[in-house]
Amino acid sequence: MKNQYDLLNGSSVDFDEYEEIELTASEKKRMKKRLMRKIKPARKKARPLIAAAVLLLAVTPVMMQNETVWASAVRISQQIGQQIELLMNKPEGSLSSYKKTVNETATDQGIQVKVNELMLDDGQVLLGLTISADEFRRTALRLNRDTPIRPGELRVKIGNMSFFDSATTITNETIKNKDGSWSYLYALQLTQADTDGDGKIDVHGYNVLDHIDPNKNYQISAQFTSLDFEKNPAKTKSGNYRDSYGEIKGNWTVHTSVNGSKIIADTKVYPLNKEITISEKGIEGVLSIKEVRVSPVSIKMHYTFTASKGSIRGGTDVGVDIKDQNGRNLSESGSGGGTDTVIEMDGEYRNDKDVTMLRFIPYVYDDKSETSKDLTSDAFNLKVNNK
């Protein structure tokens, strides 16, 4: 049986057949935990961490965010590759001053990867792109006309620094474009870098906006070294990813330039320096939150949990949810890793333009019982200037 989470992004959805279902906080955490176990992790070469990347799901029968507007789904399916902000539930063109129109196509082995837009955000780069293949190549791969070819490994070079082997988020539309191409929103975290050109990651925990000169334009290249496709379902006998999906090695590289002055000016950093003592479900330790970063696109927070009693690998997870002033859960995705006693996580949260207050709620999740407990007595608020 195929991995149901791998298949979600290739599915088609008739929106009229489904109603929006509100998920409880416990159900959201349970879904997040299951995703973290299923999705291919970002590789960590330098540290013995168990890394995991949480995939941001495309429009599916059960939405992970209660506030998703169904009417926007039509716009998304038609323009996701050309309008990055549509998938973020933001008004059309609202991110125009931050993104770069590229419209460049790279071709290899009869497959075209077109980068429509590129946007530098705090800690990540986002690409709006479309992928198409000629009939000869699709026949060679035994693909029918409705089977998408999806983006695989991405390497990004900004100036003299290369970024790869980091967590990625890939979201695709559920319906192919009229020209037969498929559109994607691809986000690569710019947290690991090769600074000396030897092909090896030598910097971890990198924050690109802290190292960019706002008065300088940087040459940037986006290179896909592989693409993925679903193999003939009739010949797939196991649930192994390699049996279900094939990989096309190649070189699809697009070059452009980027200036970070606008995103740097509009990204605010709020020092928190919070240390919260946790003693729940057989585990004790300290949850540390250094700061929260708020950009026009996202809210990001790095936190660690160091256990003094109990094992994190024993099935207990400690994390942080963020809600806005209206109680909306802004949590979207996260990546990180850990040892028996230490968790390091980079959480990403949705930034809506009307967010004026953030409420941080620590939680403890028990994997065995699939139950979650919000530690509301340790919750705290932060006013933000989000213009």
Side-chain angles (χ1 to χ4, degrees):
M1 180 178 178
K2 296 182 180 63
N3 184 320
Q4 67 264 37
Y5 297 107
D6 288 327
L7 296 178
L8 279 173
N9 275 348
S11 62
S12 296
V13 176
D14 184 349
F15 302 121
D16 294 332
E17 293 183 2
Y18 300 94
E19 61 178 322
E20 189 172 354
I21 301 173
E22 286 199 6
L23 301 180
T24 65
S26 178
E27 288 171 330
K28 288 182 181 180
K29 293 185 180 72
R30 188 187 315 161
M31 187 176 292
K32 175 183 175 184
K33 289 291 291 183
R34 287 175 176 172
L35 285 170
M36 291 178 72
R37 291 196 298 270
K38 292 290 185 180
I39 293 168
K40 181 182 177 183
R43 294 187 296 272
K44 303 277 188 177
K45 294 183 178 179
R47 295 183 291 176
L49 299 180
I50 303 173
V54 177
L55 185 67
L56 176 62
L57 296 178
V59 179
T60 63
V62 179
M63 303 302 298
M64 292 190 69
Q65 295 295 341
N66 295 336
E67 301 81 11
T68 301
V69 180
W70 287 107
S72 66
V74 176
R75 294 187 304 148
I76 292 171
S77 66
Q78 293 174 343
Q79 305 179 56
I80 179 177
Q82 291 73 36
Q83 291 286 337
I84 286 177
E85 54 265 56
L86 294 186
L87 196 61
M88 298 179 178
N89 206 16
K90 292 180 178 290
E92 255 183 280
S94 60
L95 300 176
S96 295
S97 59
Y98 304 103
K99 62 185 182 180
K100 174 75 176 287
T101 299
V102 181
N103 288 334
E104 295 291 337
T105 301
T107 302
D108 190 7
Q109 303 173 63
I111 303 174
Q112 297 81 41
V113 176
K114 181 182 179 182
V115 177
N116 303 297
E117 296 182 337
L118 180 146
M119 182 166 59
L120 189 64
D121 183 31
D122 184 31
Q124 65 181 346
V125 63
L126 301 115
L127 304 176
L129 55 94
T130 53
I131 298 178
S132 59
D134 59 33
E135 288 302 319
F136 178 82
R137 186 57 176 165
R138 296 187 72 86
T139 300
L141 294 172
R142 297 182 179 179
L143 298 179
N144 64 45
R145 63 179 59 187
D146 294 322
T147 301
I149 296 176
R150 308 188 304 185
E153 297 293 330
L154 174 64
R155 300 173 67 97
V156 170
K157 187 173 184 180
I158 303 177
N160 295 321
M161 300 188 70
S162 296
F163 301 87
F164 51 93
D165 274 354
S166 294
T168 61
T169 300
I170 306 172
T171 311
N172 69 279
E173 65 179 13
T174 59
I175 303 172
K176 68 178 179 180
N177 300 317
K178 292 181 178 180
D179 62 0
S181 65
W182 291 87
S183 295
Y184 300 88
L185 177 63
Y186 193 110
L188 173 71
Q189 288 191 10
L190 304 179
T191 54
Q192 300 189 143
D194 170 17
T195 61
D196 55 15
D198 65 353
K200 299 178 180 179
I201 296 295
D202 49 57
V203 174
H204 298 269
Y206 189 81
N207 195 298
V208 65
L209 294 193
D210 291 344
H211 297 82
I212 282 184
D213 183 349
N215 300 313
K216 182 178 178 180
N217 291 326
Y218 291 84
Q219 294 300 308
I220 180 171
S221 65
Q223 178 190 24
F224 285 97
T225 59
S226 68
L227 303 175
D228 298 329
F229 64 95
E230 184 181 358
K231 294 180 178 178
N232 189 337
K235 295 185 178 181
T236 302
K237 297 182 179 180
S238 75
N240 187 287
Y241 184 91
R242 293 182 181 275
D243 291 338
S244 302
Y245 290 87
E247 184 179 58
I248 309 166
K249 291 288 188 179
N251 181 3
W252 295 267
T253 304
V254 170
H255 301 272
T256 186
S257 62
V258 67
N259 182 287
S261 59
K262 180 64 174 174
I263 194 71
I264 290 173
D266 293 344
T267 297
K268 302 175 180 63
V269 180
Y270 298 89
L272 296 178
N273 297 317
K274 289 280 187 178
E275 291 195 347
I276 300 170
T277 301
I278 305 293
S279 180
E280 294 284 344
K281 298 184 181 293
I283 194 165
E284 297 179 5
V286 176
L287 176 67
S288 300
I289 309 172
K290 180 182 178 182
E291 65 183 21
V292 62
R293 304 172 66 98
V294 181
S295 82
V297 177
S298 59
I299 299 168
K300 291 186 173 63
M301 176 178 60
H302 178 82
Y303 61 87
T304 63
F305 176 72
T306 304
S308 57
K309 178 182 177 181
S311 173
I312 297 170
R313 289 180 179 174
T316 302
D317 177 41
V318 177
V320 183
D321 278 338
I322 294 182
K323 295 185 178 181
D324 68 3
Q325 70 277 3
N326 298 315
R328 294 179 298 177
N329 195 321
L330 304 178
S331 302
E332 284 201 332
S333 63
S335 64
T339 64
D340 281 335
T341 58
V342 178
I343 293 175
E344 293 186 52
M345 288 294 296
D346 290 294
E348 182 169 332
Y349 309 82
R350 186 164 51 117
N351 184 8
D352 291 337
K353 63 179 181 179
D354 58 347
V355 172
T356 59
M357 188 270 288
L358 302 177
R359 182 166 178 77
F360 301 81
I361 307 174
Y363 67 84
V364 176
Y365 181 87
D366 188 324
D367 193 38
K368 293 181 180 179
S369 63
E370 295 188 342
T371 59
S372 179
K373 179 180 179 180
D374 287 341
L375 307 180
T376 54
S377 61
D378 294 308
F380 60 95
N381 300 335
L382 173 69
K383 291 184 177 181
V384 295
N385 180 17
N386 188 17
K387 295 182 179 180

